[in-house]
Amino acid sequence: MPAKASTTTTPKTTRKTAAVQQYYYGTGKRKTAVARVRLYKNGKGDLTVNNQEGGSFFKLKKLLATINSPLKLTSLTKKFDISVMVSGGGIVAQAEAIRHGIARALLKYDDALRITLKKAGLLTRDPRVKERKKPGLKRARRAPQFSKR
């Protein structure tokens, strides 16, 4: 019986190897939007949302101000680079989910910020979601138009 030839395979690396950076993680939610937020230490204040620059993903300045509000409140605006993966909901709900995620990630960075963030209401998950449609109705509470005859 012939001996089996041993074959050695070297694993191929398909991804670029990047320097491992320390980050703080927080998950934010609003309506049906879910944001997975990473705050990278020693950053310049860059925002990346779904692998796009924050300014190109959120066109409205109001939404960018909403996202940056936890950092402005705690005076940590230029200390972190922010990387976000967000899905679901509309753009306003996504912005508010990112804000919630940033606030939660800041707590992992420094628990002393809890008092400041809690007073501003940034740690509370807004529980308001769309009410389900009921049978016999057009929407959740909208009844069909009444006809007398």
Side-chain angles (χ1 to χ4, degrees):
M1 206 157 115
K4 288 186 179 179
S6 65
T7 58
T8 57
T9 58
T10 56
K12 293 181 181 179
T13 55
T14 55
R15 285 192 249 168
K16 294 179 183 177
T17 56
V20 178
Q21 290 182 302
Q22 185 182 4
Y23 63 87
Y24 299 97
Y25 179 81
T27 305
K29 294 182 180 183
R30 172 72 170 100
K31 291 189 178 180
T32 58
V34 179
R36 300 182 315 239
V37 178
R38 289 181 177 185
L39 298 181
Y40 290 95
K41 284 178 78 172
N42 305 325
K44 297 172 281 194
D46 296 336
L47 174 66
T48 308
V49 181
N50 291 351
N51 298 321
Q52 294 179 37
E53 186 184 323
S56 66
F57 192 86
F58 293 108
K59 305 272 192 258
L60 299 174
K61 298 233 185 263
K62 182 180 93 169
L63 297 179
L64 289 171
T66 300
I67 290 169
N68 289 323
S69 61
L71 295 169
K72 284 183 183 171
L73 191 68
T74 55
S75 304
L76 299 171
T77 332
K78 301 287 182 192
K79 194 161 185 168
F80 297 103
D81 281 341
I82 305 165
S83 173
V84 182
M85 294 304 285
V86 65
S87 63
I91 57 165
V92 174
Q94 286 182 347
E96 291 179 5
I98 293 170
R99 178 182 68 182
H100 188 225
I102 290 172
R104 283 183 161 184
L106 284 173
L107 282 187
K108 297 210 173 127
Y109 167 69
D110 184 9
D111 201 41
L113 300 173
R114 176 178 291 278
I115 298 162
T116 312
L117 294 170
K118 189 77 173 170
K119 265 188 192 164
L122 299 176
L123 295 177
T124 307
R125 197 263 197 229
D126 194 344
R128 297 176 295 168
V129 292
K130 187 176 169 96
E131 193 175 333
R132 78 173 198 87
K133 183 191 176 304
K134 314 296 185 311
L137 300 180
K138 289 183 176 268
R139 295 192 304 259
R141 298 185 185 206
R142 169 74 169 108
Q145 186 172 353
F146 175 73
S147 175
K148 200 173 234 182
R149 282 169 200 82

